[in-house]
Amino acid sequence: MEYTDKMFNRLKRVEGQIRGVLEMMEKERDCKDVVTQLSAIRSAVDKAIAAIVVDNLEKCIRMDMDNEISTHDAVQQAMNLLLKSR
């Protein structure tokens, strides 16, 4: 699979957001602010998952087909992976 600099950068931003939330909690910031930031983190992680799947979906399906997995099953596995991430 190919993991681009853009994907790494997305996750590094998420890492920074998590550190920010931990700091907010240590400073006993309002729970609404913490939850708002956690929601933003969840959204960022969802976007990272989507980027990885979109960029690699064709490769994954081709690899499955090379391993004699039917196109239908390969697509179903990809869909299950996306659903599992939710």
Side-chain angles (χ1 to χ4, degrees):
M1 296 299 99
E2 182 179 337
Y3 300 107
T4 64
D5 288 341
K6 187 176 179 180
M7 291 173 192
F8 281 102
N9 290 337
R10 262 184 206 274
L11 291 175
K12 287 177 184 178
R13 280 193 301 273
V14 169
E15 182 181 33
Q17 287 176 296
I18 290 171
R19 280 193 303 271
V21 168
L22 290 170
E23 186 176 315
M24 290 172 69
M25 293 170 67
E26 288 169 355
K27 292 181 179 179
E28 298 182 359
R29 294 275 305 271
D30 186 59
C31 69
K32 292 178 212 168
D33 295 334
V34 171
V35 170
T36 297
Q37 288 304 309
L38 289 171
S39 294
I41 291 168
R42 179 174 35 201
S43 178
V45 169
D46 287 345
K47 288 178 183 177
I49 291 168
I52 289 169
V53 170
V54 167
D55 286 354
N56 290 297
L57 183 59
E58 182 181 359
K59 291 175 193 156
C60 289
I61 291 174
R62 286 185 190 276
M63 283 176 41
D64 285 346
M65 290 172 60
D66 289 345
N67 292 325
E68 299 182 12
I69 296 174
S70 73
T71 304
H72 176 270
D73 289 342
V75 171
Q76 187 64 46
Q77 286 177 9
M79 292 300 297
N80 289 339
L81 184 60
L82 280 174
L83 292 173
K84 182 179 178 181
S85 71
R86 281 300 334 178

